[in-house]
Amino acid sequence: MAPYKRKTPEEILYSIYKLHRGRLKIIIGSVSGSGKTYHMLEEGKLLKQQGIDVVISAVSTMGRPETMQQIADLERIPSIHWHQDGREYKDLPLEALIERNPEVVLVDGLAHRNRSGAAFPARLDDIRYLMDNGISVITTVNVYELGGVGEIVYEKTGIRAEETVPLDTLELADEVRLIDVSPETILKRMEDGILGDAAHPAMSRRGNLGVLRELSLRLVAEGVNETLEKHREAHGLTGPSGASERILVSSQYHWNGSLYVRRGQQIAKRLNGDLKVVTFVLPGRKLSREQQAFKRSIIQLVERVDGSFEELPLKQLRQLPSELVRYAVQNKVTRIVMGHSAKSRWQERWQGSIANRVLRRTRNIDVFLMADRAEQDGERILPVKSQPVPAVNRFTA
């Protein structure tokens, strides 16, 4: 494969456009009070020391002393204050910022919605406008203010953001930075009164803070992985980048299927990765009643462990190794879990072992081979609904 890829005319025009467009940096935190604004202002001071023209506007210090100190040496462009339902809000003064024309603007609240009658409905639109005029922006956002993630947060913690931005907003950013703070640190800041009344009551629970932190870490890790994959594809490289784990379980509809899924789930949980389960079937071949029962059981198990399941067609059984590896490469899989084939030793010598053929075809993918425990133990593992139910004496005291 050629190491270089010729750009299309559209890609060339976009590259030229980006040269004249401002850059965007997004600083993500798990909750309010995680230190996003402090680190944004700290970075602004460093840029100013390097001779870069930096201004701030619509920055929320929440009256925190250490954050207030960071503002002292930075030029401030007064924001537009307005009130609604007894609360004060700040909009960006776009005309003043365009007239001032700094190199970088620091602004809080990426998910902020503007007042009625403003030039644009949301701060995200304001930021795009500034970038189109050659001004770079550094801004902040909480993880639960990102669309899609916010729904997960609400289901797990009961915390719902008043305002959100689409999750793909992160794709607009040239850089994304995570401020990782432990739940203990946030709770200590709450006890010291540093966060004031800004924190949601549900955020005072250690478990909820842990959920928010984990989602933040996973979100940024997935972003790193996508960036690496795009870089590798641009250079003609295939296979997983290794920044995040994706576990693939290859299973058939038999009594070992659930064992393979559980082992894959254990690996995925330990590595904080995603779980995929696939089964290859020959078209036109009907499943027996027992196989149908095992299929239902495996699908139910995959759903319980938050994995994904796919049933894929296979023209010939001998294509299984190549199709499995092809699927793994296409889906950036890092580890494959599979069982030994039920072939005799003579069949393996004549036709070859499926596991060995998979191993020969894989690059940068670990393969886990599981023993056929059912045959070793001399017993069959029945699907859930097929297991015999012990008799119960209803009249026993």
Side-chain angles (χ1 to χ4, degrees), residues 96-136:
L97 287 170
I98 295 298
E99 183 180 353
R100 173 62 177 75
N101 194 30
E103 293 179 80
V104 180
V105 173
L106 310 183
V107 55
D108 265 324
L110 176 61
H112 171 76
R113 302 291 298 181
N114 291 333
R115 71 197 184 283
S116 176
F120 299 104
R123 180 151 298 164
L124 176 59
D125 302 310
D126 293 343
I127 289 174
R128 283 176 170 169
Y129 178 72
L130 293 174
M131 293 171 63
D132 287 341
N133 282 272
I135 300 174
S136 296

Side-chain angles (χ1 to χ4, degrees), residues 261-286:
V261 174
R262 290 191 182 279
R263 177 52 58 88
Q265 186 263 341
Q266 290 171 358
I267 296 172
K269 184 177 181 180
R270 185 169 66 248
L271 299 176
N272 199 24
D274 298 323
L275 175 67
K276 287 181 173 290
V277 179
V278 296
T279 295
F280 292 91
V281 295
L282 296 172
R285 180 173 295 184
K286 293 184 178 181

Side-chain angles (χ1 to χ4, degrees), residues 245 247-250 260 263-264 267 270-271 334-340 355 358-359 365-371:
E245 295 288 344
I247 315 303
L248 175 64
V249 176
S250 175
Y260 301 165
R263 177 52 58 88
I267 296 172
R270 185 169 66 248
L271 299 176
T334 57
R335 300 167 194 258
I336 297 175
V337 178
M338 60 183 297
H340 287 284
V358 169
L359 286 168
I365 300 177
D366 296 330
V367 179
F368 292 78
L369 297 178
M370 290 190 61

Side-chain angles (χ1 to χ4, degrees), residues 12 19 31 33 54-55 59 89 98 118 127 139 149 153 155 164 178 186 207 220 241 253 292 374 378 389:
I12 294 174
L19 290 175
V31 295
V54 182
V55 301
V59 170
Y89 299 89
I98 295 298
I127 289 174
T139 187
V149 178
V153 171
E155 290 176 5
T164 61
L178 171 66
I186 297 296
V220 174
S241 64
Y253 301 136
Q292 292 175 5
V389 179

Side-chain angles (χ1 to χ4, degrees), residues 34-52:
S34 56
K36 303 182 300 299
T37 301
Y38 179 89
H39 285 87
M40 178 181 70
L41 295 172
E42 187 175 49
E43 184 164 346
K45 290 174 64 176
L46 291 174
L47 291 174
K48 182 180 178 181
Q49 292 173 6
Q50 296 170 13
I52 296 174

